[in-house]
């Protein structure tokens, strides 16, 4: 399972060979047999749909990753939701930290709208569990943490440097004549070697983290012993590492414990960022660089001009957005599944063009409109 990031969304929203299958499933923490059964049912439904588009052998090959995932022996340690995306020669799965509605969509592109809420700037964070004997990476929300795989992320200092390098700076001697227990120590050059080993370890971790988070702006909480924390913060290229962090050795800590320690830090950071955005909106309204008119914002979003998109949490505007012209048709109540949430469409456009999405309670919105925007120019 990979970490869901803006880069991942861009990959899904880019062109893929057709057909494209999107599967969403509500799941349970741990291993629940019913989850496997329901995913297997979705796989069978997908098989029936694909028979009209592909030869039988190609259908089986297309669905192989989904069918493998639905086997009890390969079922992963789950969270509240699962999203799977398949196209010829491509597949990816994401664990989601909150419940999702069961959904199967087969089309010419992937159905990504249910993912947007997990990428809003003030609704998620990342946590790096860092120690010489263990490294872990998680994506978090208000509901908790889910583990996320990063290709090339070392599991420990030994994994990053190798056994020989890890031990080369440790010296020892035996005490009294005939003593059986070695006394470990080090000094001078050995101390310098250990410092360099730790620096190499931190750089290896940062390379892996940066490869995934270079387009992100969410807070990264580092949970690590004081020395490892300070060294990593001095090396990392990611500019949104929380200055406070969670200090200590948490190799045996549960995800719930880590989230409980990290979430207050995230809330403080998010509150400060929200205040900055709201102040920027108020400051730029008079200069016509901030607005709350739906149709104008939609056009600016597709042009890449929206820096901050402010959305009223849980609000919907049912209609249709023309992704070529930016024209918006609003229909009031939703009458059928062909009508989409224009707010989601605008959010997708802004995310894919490097803007930030802010989900706010109605009382926090700077306008009575369910959408507002700050423009880049």
């Amino acid at each position: 399972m990979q970490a869901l990031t803006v880069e991942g969304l861009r990959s899904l929203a880019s062109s893929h060979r057709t057909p494209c299958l999107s599967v969403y499933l509500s799941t349970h923490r741990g291993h629940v047999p019913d989850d496997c059964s329901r995913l297997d049912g979705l796989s069978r439904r997908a098989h029936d749909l694909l028979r009209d588009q592909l030869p039988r052998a190609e259908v089986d090959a297309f669905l192989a990753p989904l069918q493998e995932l639905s086997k009890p022996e390969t079922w992963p340690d789950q969270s509240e939701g699962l999203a799977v995306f398949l196209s010829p020669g491509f597949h990816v799965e994401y664990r989601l930290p909150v419940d999702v509605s069961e959904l199967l969509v087969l089309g010419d592109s992937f159905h990504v709208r249910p993912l947007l809420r997990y990428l809003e700037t003030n609704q998620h964070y990342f946590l790096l569990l860092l120690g010489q004997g263990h490294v872990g990476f998680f994506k978090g929300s208000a509901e908790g943490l889910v583990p996320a795989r990063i290709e090339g992320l070392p599991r420990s200092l030994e994994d990053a440097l190798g056994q020989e390098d890890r031990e080369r700076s440790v010296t020892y001697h035996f005490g009294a004549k005939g003593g059986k227990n070695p006394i470990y120590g080090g000094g001078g050059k050995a101390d310098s070697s250990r410092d360099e080993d730790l620096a190499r370890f931190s750089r290896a971790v940062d390379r892996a983290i940066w490869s995934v988070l270079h387009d992100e702006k969410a807070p990264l909480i580092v949970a690590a012993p004081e020395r490892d924390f300070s060294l990593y913060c001095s090396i990392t290229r990611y500019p949104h590492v929380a200055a406070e962090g969670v200090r200590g050795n948490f190799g045996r800590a549960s995800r719930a414990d880590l989230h409980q320690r990290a979430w207050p830090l995230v809330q403080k950071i998010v509150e400060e960022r929200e205040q900055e955005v709201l102040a920027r909106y108020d400051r730029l309204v008079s200069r016509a660089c901030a607005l709350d008119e739906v149709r104008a914002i939609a056009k600016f979003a597709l042009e890449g001009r929206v820096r901050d998109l402010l959305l009223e949490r849980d609000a919907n505007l049912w209609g249709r957005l023309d992704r070529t012209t930016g024209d918006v048709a609003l229909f009031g109540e939703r009458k059928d599944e062909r009508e989409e949430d224009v707010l989601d469409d605008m959010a997708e456009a802004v995310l894919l063009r490097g803007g930030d999405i802010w989900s706010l309670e109605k009382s926090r919105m700077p306008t009575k409109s369910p959408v507002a925007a700050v423009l880049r120019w």
Side-chain angles (χ1 to χ4, degrees), residues 30-184:
H31 181 86
V32 178
D34 182 58
D35 291 343
C36 299
S37 299
R38 289 188 295 114
L39 185 61
D40 187 52
L42 288 173
S43 179
R44 290 195 298 272
R45 283 171 53 193
H47 191 282
D48 292 340
L49 292 172
L50 286 163
R51 282 188 306 180
D52 296 332
Q53 300 189 32
L54 298 172
R56 173 66 181 266
E58 291 184 26
V59 171
D60 293 340
F62 183 100
L63 291 175
L66 189 63
Q67 292 167 344
E68 183 68 20
L69 192 63
S70 66
K71 295 178 181 178
E73 61 270 22
T74 59
W75 184 254
D77 179 24
Q78 256 314 116
S79 185
E80 276 74 16
L82 174 68
V84 184
F85 302 93
L86 300 171
S87 70
F90 174 89
H91 83 274
V92 67
E93 305 110 32
Y94 294 109
R95 296 176 195 163
L96 304 176
V98 296
D99 192 12
V100 292
S101 298
E102 186 172 305
L103 183 66
L104 186 150
V105 179
L106 184 67
D108 294 333
S109 61
F110 290 123
H111 182 73
V112 300
R113 279 189 203 89
L115 300 180
L116 295 178
R117 58 184 294 201
Y118 311 116
L119 294 173
E120 291 169 347
T121 306
N122 57 340
Q123 296 300 301
H124 73 284
Y125 73 100
F126 299 99
L127 185 139
L128 173 63
L129 179 61
L130 183 63
Q132 295 176 41
H134 54 265
V135 178
F137 185 73
F138 305 84
K139 182 163 185 179
S141 67
E143 288 78 14
L145 289 167
V146 292
R149 179 178 62 84
I150 294 184
E151 193 71 33
L153 181 67
R155 293 168 295 179
S156 64
L157 184 146
E158 182 177 320
D159 183 44
L161 306 184
Q163 177 76 11
E164 183 177 348
D165 275 359
R166 187 184 70 84
E167 293 181 345
R168 66 184 169 85
S169 64
V170 179
T171 62
Y172 64 87
H173 65 277
F174 290 92
K177 185 177 181 181
K180 296 181 179 180
N181 297 320
I183 300 172
Y184 291 86

Side-chain angles (χ1 to χ4, degrees), residues 278 311-313 360-369:
L278 291 170
L311 299 176
E312 180 186 323
R313 191 169 298 158
L360 302 173
E361 295 292 343
K362 186 175 183 178
S363 60
R364 296 267 290 161
M365 288 290 292
T367 170
K368 292 182 179 180
S369 172

Side-chain angles (χ1 to χ4, degrees), residues 125 127 139-145 254-266:
Y125 73 100
L127 185 139
K139 182 163 185 179
S141 67
E143 288 78 14
L145 289 167
S254 67
R255 274 185 265 160
D257 183 34
L258 289 169
H259 174 67
Q260 186 175 17
R261 293 171 182 269
W263 186 240
L265 304 180
V266 176

Side-chain angles (χ1 to χ4, degrees), residues 117-301:
R117 58 184 294 201
Y118 311 116
L119 294 173
E120 291 169 347
T121 306
N122 57 340
Q123 296 300 301
H124 73 284
Y125 73 100
F126 299 99
L127 185 139
L128 173 63
L129 179 61
L130 183 63
Q132 295 176 41
H134 54 265
V135 178
F137 185 73
F138 305 84
K139 182 163 185 179
S141 67
E143 288 78 14
L145 289 167
V146 292
R149 179 178 62 84
I150 294 184
E151 193 71 33
L153 181 67
R155 293 168 295 179
S156 64
L157 184 146
E158 182 177 320
D159 183 44
L161 306 184
Q163 177 76 11
E164 183 177 348
D165 275 359
R166 187 184 70 84
E167 293 181 345
R168 66 184 169 85
S169 64
V170 179
T171 62
Y172 64 87
H173 65 277
F174 290 92
K177 185 177 181 181
K180 296 181 179 180
N181 297 320
I183 300 172
Y184 291 86
K189 196 169 183 178
D191 283 343
S192 298
S193 295
R194 275 197 298 277
D195 289 342
E196 178 55 29
D197 282 349
L198 288 175
R200 290 171 60 200
F201 171 49
S202 293
R203 284 193 288 270
V205 172
D206 183 60
R207 276 196 301 272
I209 296 292
W210 182 248
S211 70
V212 172
L213 300 190
H214 57 270
D215 285 332
E216 284 285 339
K217 298 175 184 177
L220 173 63
I221 307 298
V222 179
E226 181 65 45
R227 185 181 184 189
D228 295 2
F229 176 88
S230 299
L231 183 57
Y232 183 79
C233 289
S234 71
I235 285 176
T236 182
R237 287 165 288 178
Y238 189 62
H240 306 293
V241 175
E244 293 185 48
V246 179
R247 317 294 179 89
N249 192 333
F250 298 100
R252 298 182 180 275
S254 67
R255 274 185 265 160
D257 183 34
L258 289 169
H259 174 67
Q260 186 175 17
R261 293 171 182 269
W263 186 240
L265 304 180
V266 176
Q267 286 180 302
K268 182 179 178 182
I269 294 168
V270 165
E271 184 175 343
E272 291 172 354
R273 290 185 179 181
E274 286 178 356
Q275 286 300 122
E276 291 175 3
V277 172
L278 291 170
R280 185 158 56 238
Y281 181 90
D282 289 340
R283 187 172 66 252
L284 294 177
V285 164
S286 61
R287 305 182 199 173
C289 287
L291 67 161
D292 65 356
E293 205 283 310
V294 175
R295 290 176 171 80
I297 293 174
K299 290 182 181 293
F300 290 142

